[in-house]
Amino acid sequence: MRIEPKQLKSALLSFGLAKEKEIEKAKKIAEKTGRDFGEILVNQEVVKREDLIRLQAYILGIPFINLEKEKIPLGVLKIIPQPIARHHNIIAFKKEKNNLEVAMLDPKDLQTIEFIKKKSNLKILPRLTTPESIKNVLSQYEESLRKEFGKIIKKEGEKIPKTLEKVVKSSHQNFGSEGKELPIIRMVDSLLKHAILQKASDIHIEPQEKELLIRYRIDGILRDVMTLPLKTHSGITARIKILSNLKLDEHRLPQDGRFKIVTKDYRFSFRVSVFPTFYGEKVVMRLLPEDSKGVSLEGLGIRGEGLEKVHFNIKRPNGLILVTGPTGCGKTTTLYTIMDILNDPVVNIATIEDPIEYTMPRINQTQVNPKIGLTFANGLRNLLRQDPDIIMVGEIRDNETAALAINAALTGHLVLSTLHTNSAAGSVSRLLDMKVEPFLIASTLKLIIAQRLVRKLCSGLKEYNLKEEEIKNLKKKYNTEKILNILKKEKIIEKEATWQDIKFGKVKTTKACPSGYKGRIGIFEVLEIAEPIKELILKGGSTGKIQKEAEREGMITMLEDGFIKSAQKITSIEEVLRVIRE
């Protein structure tokens, strides 16, 4: 929430919380960068975040409340559903008669206040609070869900094996069915809800020798969530198979399926993979939110000249644009974001995918099915007869698909696709390995985006300077002089700054944010196929030569983009190096 710098400065001086010289320095940075004045004051350690928010409350004439150590009664907490509380940063914490006190980060959000007023039939009294308070209370929703899960195990654990037959007979696929009362079904429902609230991307259900291990992948990292009695395994697996329309009596072969959960608060698709292991069938479910708002390229983390190159090239009438990186690095999300930008009534966009992760309006999406001969290559061949302007091929996996994609780009189509390579420059070698002629690559390939995902630091972080030993270690492995010059060129740091002067974000663990990270953002390198690169491709230049030429032309590498984001305190140096090493 932004407060006018003039008002904030006056309040800071009145209460003696900062010196005028410090305030003016932060103000100049805000004017130069467009960043929030209050955030700069906190990051520069001119004022503590809580003191800043107290000042904002004083200026707005709204009471301040700190809920970092408060336990909210469950009845009051659930007046505002968890998805709304998380999305709008608003918490119900006290109810007296017809008055409901709510803690918010932005009390000016009148639309949300009015919505809750209508839903609850209560008078809403807004209070200003800290991000840490919101996180603490949001975690209480999750704790209540864990308790609910524990009660099911404790109360009805003995009945679980006996209810397996009922689960198999039950084909209910929504939360409102009578079958919900069966313990196994209630357990699976709780398991899925918990994953949604934790913002997990995957659920792993893994049978061990003596127990059933449940793990969630959150922000790219797998975490143990709970262990269940091994006797629950067959029932849970059977329930998931029923939801996914899989064969219940098949235990020796892998199976893939899909199902949806639709409630008034959220819509999710679950992509299911069942795989036989030594101790039984392992189940992995990928969570795909269907009601998520479109993300911008800037929101993904593409910035600066790279962003300009992407916008320029996706508006071309034809050519091939590739997004590269390992599995799980966000390639598909980037492609969907580009398609969302290009989605216009005057163009025909068609896709061939495996699987279709998100459905998009006005886009004709097709799922590959190798069992009936609908492969990427066969689907793309037939897709060209559908008069498309833009084609998205989920992945170029083989020679035939590569040749067809290149041919489509040559004949007036804009083709978007992905490749599994470690860098943007490596994509050219990969296409050559697929027997694509160099002159065809040079004439059709327009842009390559390589990416990784790094975890974002939680708010309320601390700043720190690298120690001499840390700087020495970086200099041994990386071109630190080049990185420093890029940080100066991008105006992230002052021209006179050295490595010792740069303030980086430090991981700070709290109860609400135990890992110190929350959410993820991409680090990118954007390689535009300009004339010098085309000449290298035609000559059969190696990946190393293409990489050097691209950097000479001004391409910022993923490592360098990572250092930019760590200097902006979006992520940490440790996280960038972890991901780049992977």
Side-chain angles (χ1 to χ4, degrees):
M1 182 183 62
R2 289 177 181 257
I3 299 288
E4 284 296 320
K6 190 181 285 187
Q7 288 179 295
L8 202 49
K9 177 183 175 181
S10 176
L12 283 165
L13 292 172
S14 296
F15 287 94
L17 291 172
K19 296 175 182 177
E20 188 163 2
K21 187 179 178 181
E22 296 173 321
I23 297 169
E24 284 301 319
K25 184 182 176 183
K27 193 177 175 184
K28 283 179 183 177
I29 296 171
E31 288 168 355
K32 189 177 179 180
T33 62
R35 289 161 58 199
D36 180 59
F37 177 49
E39 281 299 312
I40 292 169
L41 287 168
V42 173
N43 290 337
Q44 297 275 336
E45 296 185 351
V46 175
V47 63
K48 291 180 180 178
R49 184 174 295 279
E50 185 172 325
D51 290 337
L52 175 70
I53 295 171
R54 285 181 184 275
L55 272 183
Q56 291 172 333
Y58 168 76
I59 292 167
L60 294 170
I62 294 172
F64 172 84
I65 186 76
N66 188 323
L67 300 173
E68 287 184 44
K69 297 179 181 178
E70 296 295 321
K71 187 77 175 175
I72 312 301
L74 196 59
V76 176
L77 187 65
K78 289 194 171 182
I79 292 173
I80 300 177
Q82 196 271 351
I84 293 171
R86 184 180 292 278
H87 184 71
H88 295 282
N89 288 309
I90 182 168
I91 297 293
F93 68 92
K94 189 176 181 181
K95 180 179 177 290
E96 285 185 355
K97 297 181 181 179
N98 290 326
N99 294 332
L100 181 66
E101 292 188 50
V102 296
M104 307 178 70
L105 296 185
D106 184 9
K108 292 181 180 179
D109 186 0
L110 301 177
Q111 190 175 358
T112 300
I113 292 171
E114 190 60 29
F115 172 79
I116 292 167
K117 181 182 176 182
K118 286 180 181 178
K119 288 287 182 182
S120 64
N121 284 324
L122 296 168
K123 183 181 178 182
I124 307 302
L125 304 175
R127 309 288 185 245
L128 194 59
T129 193
T130 63
E132 288 71 23
S133 292
I134 296 286
K135 286 175 184 174
N136 170 54
V137 181
L138 285 174
S139 67
Q140 292 178 32
Y141 283 96
E142 294 158 10
E143 285 171 16
S144 69
L145 195 56
R146 288 193 193 98
K147 286 177 184 176
E148 178 188 339
F149 209 101
K151 284 177 185 176
I152 296 170
I153 300 279
K154 188 175 180 181
K155 184 180 177 182
E156 304 186 80
E158 294 302 319
K159 302 177 189 175
I160 286 167
K162 298 174 185 177
T163 60
L164 179 55
E165 187 179 343
K166 293 180 182 178
V167 172
V168 172
K169 289 179 180 177
S170 171
S171 62
H172 298 299
Q173 295 198 25
N174 59 72
F175 290 126
S177 65
E178 291 177 8
K180 184 179 176 181
E181 295 308 312
L182 295 171
I184 284 289
I185 294 177
R186 287 174 58 200
M187 286 172 66
V188 173
D189 288 358
S190 296
L191 188 73
L192 302 179
K193 285 179 186 176
H194 191 190
I196 290 169
L197 294 183
Q198 291 270 15
K199 292 191 174 179
S201 62
D202 301 85
I203 303 171
H204 288 240
I205 301 171
E206 303 171 312
Q208 306 296 304
E209 185 179 5
K210 296 179 180 178
E211 60 193 12
L212 184 65
L213 177 63
I214 309 294
R215 296 197 288 172
Y216 291 162
R217 187 177 295 278
I218 301 171
D219 296 334
I221 305 294
L222 269 173
R223 301 174 186 173
D224 289 2
V225 177
M226 61 185 82
T227 55
L228 301 176
L230 191 59
K231 61 189 173 186
T232 63
H233 174 244
S234 56
I236 288 173
T237 306
R239 176 60 180 164
I240 292 168
K241 283 183 176 181
I242 288 165
L243 291 171
S244 313
N245 290 316
L246 300 179
K247 294 178 182 177
L248 286 167
D249 56 351
E250 179 57 75
H251 304 289
R252 297 173 300 169
L253 294 173
Q255 296 188 72
D256 294 315
R258 195 181 183 108
F259 66 92
K260 283 186 182 183
I261 288 177
V262 179
T263 74
K264 62 181 181 180
D265 296 322
Y266 47 71
R267 294 169 59 91
F268 271 81
S269 281
F270 289 78
R271 198 173 78 210
V272 179
S273 171
V274 181
F275 196 84
T277 68
F278 184 77
Y279 291 115
E281 292 174 292
K282 176 183 175 179
V283 179
V284 176
M285 292 181 277
R286 168 67 56 90
L287 282 70
L288 303 167
E290 292 195 345
D291 53 359
S292 58
K293 295 180 180 177
V295 182
S296 65
L297 291 171
E298 295 92 329
L300 293 177
I302 305 178
R303 52 177 306 284
E305 287 183 15
L307 180 64
E308 292 172 16
K309 288 175 182 177
V310 174
H311 275 294
F312 174 76
N313 283 279
I314 65 175
K315 294 298 171 69
R316 287 176 180 266
N318 54 62
L320 176 63
I321 293 174
L322 294 175
V323 183
T324 75
T327 302
C329 73
K331 299 187 297 293
T332 304
T333 302
T334 301
L335 283 183
Y336 274 94
T337 303
I338 291 171
M339 285 198 295
D340 192 43
I341 294 168
L342 298 174
N343 196 358
D344 190 280
V346 300
V347 295
N348 175 19
I349 303 177
T351 76
I352 179 83
E353 306 172 58
D354 183 24
I356 296 171
E357 294 201 0
Y358 306 100
T359 55
M360 299 183 74
R362 304 187 71 92
I363 291 180
N364 308 290
Q365 297 172 263
T366 303
Q367 167 85 45
V368 302
N369 189 347
K371 291 178 182 177
I372 59 172
L374 183 55
T375 60
F376 275 118
N378 193 25
L380 180 53
R381 187 182 293 108
N382 287 280
L383 206 58
L384 291 169
R385 301 180 194 137
Q386 289 284 309
D387 187 32
D389 298 293
I390 300 165
I391 300 168
M392 193 274 265
V393 182
E395 185 184 344
I396 295 177
R397 293 178 180 173
D398 51 48
N399 303 11
E400 190 179 4
T401 309
L404 285 165
I406 292 285
N407 182 61
L410 272 174
T411 54
H413 303 89
L414 181 64
V415 180
L416 313 171
S417 191
T418 70
L419 269 180
H420 284 277
T421 60
N422 291 326
S423 66
S427 301
V428 176
S429 298
R430 183 80 181 97
L431 290 173
L432 290 170
D433 289 342
M434 291 181 178
K435 310 300 181 188
V436 179
E437 293 293 338
F439 76 91
L440 289 175
I441 298 172
S443 58
T444 57
L445 189 57
K446 305 300 181 187
L447 189 80
I448 308 169
I449 304 167
Q451 66 180 83
R452 299 287 190 278
L453 290 176
V454 294
R455 292 176 292 170
K456 294 195 292 185
L457 290 166
C458 292
S459 60
L461 55 84
K462 290 185 176 180
E463 295 178 335
Y464 81 110
N465 298 90
L466 290 175
K467 296 175 183 176
E468 287 297 330
E469 189 63 32
E470 292 173 312
I471 296 170
K472 282 181 184 177
N473 288 335
L474 285 175
K475 285 181 177 178
K476 287 177 186 176
K477 297 178 183 177
Y478 309 108
N479 188 342
T480 51
E481 187 178 343
K482 181 172 180 257
I483 294 169
L484 191 66
N485 289 333
I486 286 170
L487 292 174
K488 291 175 181 178
K489 183 185 173 185
E490 296 289 316
K491 297 180 180 177
I492 306 298
I493 58 175
E494 299 293 331
K495 287 184 179 179
E496 302 78 24
T498 64
W499 275 100
Q500 287 84 350
D501 299 323
I502 306 172
K503 288 190 178 293
F504 293 99
K506 190 174 185 180
V507 178
K508 181 183 177 183
T509 59
T510 63
K511 185 181 177 183
C513 190
S515 69
Y517 296 97
K518 195 75 173 178
R520 289 191 288 175
I521 193 169
I523 54 174
F524 296 85
E525 58 186 36
V526 179
L527 172 55
E528 189 173 40
I529 310 300
E531 286 304 319
I533 304 290
K534 286 183 182 180
E535 289 175 16
L536 276 174
I537 294 171
L538 289 170
K539 292 175 183 176
S542 66
T543 296
K545 287 181 180 178
I546 293 171
Q547 180 76 21
K548 283 180 182 177
E549 181 59 34
E551 289 184 42
R552 196 180 71 79
E553 292 285 319
M555 181 186 81
I556 292 176
T557 66
M558 280 184 286
L559 175 71
E560 291 157 359
D561 190 38
F563 270 96
I564 288 171
K565 290 183 170 75
S566 58
Q568 291 175 319
K569 303 167 194 67
I570 296 169
T571 187
S572 67
I573 290 179
E574 295 84 358
E575 178 66 5
V576 171
L577 297 181
R578 178 189 72 82
V579 169
I580 292 295
R581 280 196 293 266
E582 285 180 356

